[in-house]
Amino acid sequence: MFLGLAALVSAFTVHAGPDVRVGILLAGVAGVEFGGLLAIRTRGPVNGLRRTAPRYAFLAAGLIAAGYIGATLAGNPMVGAGAGNVSPLKLVAVLAALIAGFFEETLFRGVLMDRLAAAGRSPALQVFISGLVFGGLHFYVFAGFPAALLAQAATTILGWGLAALYLMSKRSLWPCVIAHVLIDAALEPALLQSLIR
């Protein structure tokens, strides 16, 4: 986890091209999130990973992923131009997508929403808070304010969709993880490259 934090800091301080900085950023995020996943896991089993989801939830996960990917490709031509490139950086991005999918869905859906439910909060409030926190932590300050705000708004909407999917899935994390991994694997590193350049 500490190596991941060091990589995150160096991504913004190293004097290198944008592709190297994106690679360091992806590796740093993956390191931090992998450490976070281990920390969550050591506190006990995550119930959402033990539950099975109805089949329609996996269809909904595919529709959410396809919709978000399509909207991003249509709305950001730089991402569309670079999303299909296969490179060593893409391999790092796919690995980071796997880690992010598990960690972020475990945290924002499994832990946060389950704790809100245990505190007696309504499903609508669980969805709202989960999406808002998810989007809030995806504020890419390095991209400049307008781009960061747009990315944050899009990620908040995605967070609401994934939170609703979690409820639709009878609190199984698997459809959410699959949607999240598909989105990140399809769009990265092109999305970060479009924000850093």
Side-chain angles (χ1 to χ4, degrees):
M1 187 171 198
F2 294 111
L3 290 175
L5 288 171
L8 286 175
V9 170
S10 68
F12 299 104
T13 58
V14 69
H15 295 291
D19 288 350
V20 171
R21 291 191 353 236
V22 166
I24 294 170
L25 181 62
L26 285 169
V29 167
V32 169
E33 291 189 343
F34 186 72
L37 189 58
L38 291 177
I40 290 170
R41 193 79 179 116
T42 58
R43 288 184 170 77
V46 178
N47 289 332
L49 292 173
R50 292 178 172 216
R51 295 186 184 107
T52 57
R55 289 185 182 153
Y56 62 81
F58 292 99
L59 175 62
L63 293 173
I64 288 171
Y68 191 83
I69 292 165
T72 301
L73 294 176
N76 189 333
M78 288 180 67
V79 175
N85 295 344
V86 178
S87 68
L89 190 55
K90 182 67 170 182
L91 296 176
V92 171
V94 169
L95 177 62
L98 288 168
I99 294 169
F102 274 97
F103 173 69
E104 293 181 13
E105 294 312 311
T106 298
L107 180 64
F108 296 115
R109 262 48 83 187
V111 173
L112 179 60
M113 289 181 68
D114 287 355
R115 287 197 178 166
L116 289 169
R121 303 300 182 247
S122 72
L125 188 59
Q126 294 171 44
V127 168
F128 181 76
I129 291 173
S130 175
L132 206 60
V133 173
F134 181 70
L137 292 176
H138 283 83
F139 187 76
Y140 302 111
V141 68
F142 56 83
F145 187 75
L149 195 58
L150 183 61
Q152 184 179 28
T155 309
T156 299
I157 293 167
L158 173 62
W160 288 330
L162 291 170
L165 178 62
Y166 182 60
L167 295 180
M168 178 194 302
S169 303
K170 300 184 182 191
R171 295 189 181 269
S172 170
L173 284 170
W174 290 111
C176 300
V177 168
I178 289 169
H180 196 138
V181 169
L182 288 173
I183 290 166
D184 284 0
L187 298 177
E188 297 299 354
L191 185 58
L192 282 175
Q193 288 170 319
S194 74
L195 295 172
I196 284 184
R197 293 189 189 268

